[in-house]
Amino acid sequence: MSDDMLVPVIDLRGVGLTYPGPPPVAALKPCDMRIERGVYTTIVGPSGSGKSTLLNVLGLLDAPSAGTYHLDGIDTGSASETRRTSLRAARIGFVFQSFHLLPHRSARENVELAMVYQRVPRRDRRLRAGEALERVGLGHKIERLPTRLSGGERQRVAIARALVGEPSLLLCDEPTGNLDSRTAAAILDLLDALHRDGMTIVVITHDSQVAARGQRRISVHDGVLTDVTSALPAS
Ligand code: ADP
């Protein structure tokens, strides 16, 4: 195992976020959290508990107002805004509740676009997009427009787009929130399969059934994180 593999993907030390207000809102109280490589973590909490705030911090969309956040061992607090943007693009794959696909671009083009900013040559982009769509079970529909795909298929395209840059972390915000229960189960099965392949996954949800899928479970209440299960892989 290389040294890189031993560095946690996420390492929060005393990280908190208070919105300045007025009045100030301590949406995320200072917390420590380490997420090791290859672990599937779910973070569950009711509405208003601080989930989006935590997601925005983990996804480098918002800077915390306290503490230090190392992503893959890199101190994100001392990085410039440009560097944070490139860290986000290269190391974090986002999956959102509402898919966020471009409606007039095919599944393949949606996935390819994720690589444009990483300066992947055009031919490689095509090849890799096809491979990512195969990986999520959509190899036979790569030229379809999202409007001609079901909700579950759209989420598969979004997952392929998130995976194609080979991120360190797959960060999912209510990934099954817009899906019926059968389709949701299939998407959760796909996340399990990606986890078995070694992907580090964080799913943020208000749904306790989704949360139960995590190997490690963290709950959020009033901006306070509690480790509900800190079980590591049995192997
Ligand atoms: P959740 O995603 O779990 O619903 P949030 O992270 O959105 O929770 O919100 C946590 C708390 O922070 C809530 O009390 C919310 O009202 C407050 N909050 C969220 N965003 C802002 C903001 N931009 N300014 C001030 N308060 C905010």
Side-chain angles (χ1 to χ4, degrees), residues 19 21 25 27 45-54:
Y19 294 107
V25 178
S47 178
S49 58
K51 296 185 303 296
S52 307
T53 304
L54 179 61

Side-chain angles (χ1 to χ4, degrees), residues 23-192:
V25 178
L28 182 64
K29 311 270 169 45
C31 68
D32 294 343
M33 180 173 81
R34 275 163 72 103
I35 293 183
E36 311 293 341
R37 213 161 295 276
V39 174
Y40 180 0
T41 305
T42 49
I43 300 176
V44 67
S47 178
S49 58
K51 296 185 303 296
S52 307
T53 304
L54 179 61
L55 176 96
N56 290 343
V57 168
L58 294 180
L60 299 178
L61 298 162
D62 263 344
S65 46
T68 56
Y69 171 16
H70 287 80
L71 172 67
D72 284 338
I74 300 161
D75 182 0
T76 63
S78 58
S80 66
E81 200 46 48
T82 315
R83 172 85 171 124
R84 284 165 61 85
T85 303
S86 70
L87 278 174
R88 183 164 64 230
R91 293 174 192 262
I92 304 175
F94 288 93
V95 176
F96 301 102
Q97 174 172 354
S98 50
F99 323 131
H100 291 218
L101 299 175
L102 296 176
H104 303 297
R105 303 289 189 128
S106 68
R108 177 178 54 75
E109 288 170 322
N110 267 282
V111 177
E112 275 187 39
L113 278 169
M115 290 176 279
V116 169
Y117 303 106
Q118 299 198 47
R119 301 207 178 88
V120 178
R122 191 147 184 267
R123 260 181 52 181
D124 291 358
R125 289 207 299 263
R126 229 187 143 90
L127 196 74
R128 283 170 57 179
E131 286 168 357
L133 286 161
E134 285 281 347
R135 193 169 170 196
V136 299
L138 269 191
H140 56 304
K141 294 188 176 170
I142 62 174
E143 299 302 342
R144 286 270 182 103
L145 293 177
T147 46
R148 297 201 48 233
L149 294 172
S150 70
E153 288 170 339
R154 289 180 204 182
Q155 195 56 303
R156 285 174 193 271
V157 176
I159 293 171
R161 178 184 57 190
L163 291 174
V164 76
E166 295 174 15
S168 306
L169 172 68
L170 192 64
L171 185 54
C172 309
D173 184 15
E174 300 284 6
T176 59
N178 275 355
L179 305 175
D180 63 70
S181 58
R182 219 181 61 181
T183 312
I187 291 295
L188 293 174
D189 288 346
L190 173 60
L191 294 180
D192 284 344

Side-chain angles (χ1 to χ4, degrees), residues 188-209:
L188 293 174
D189 288 346
L190 173 60
L191 294 180
D192 284 344
L194 295 172
H195 170 230
R196 282 195 297 276
D197 283 350
M199 180 59 63
T200 309
I201 301 176
V202 171
V203 171
I204 295 187
T205 183
H206 70 278
D207 181 333
S208 54
Q209 279 185 321

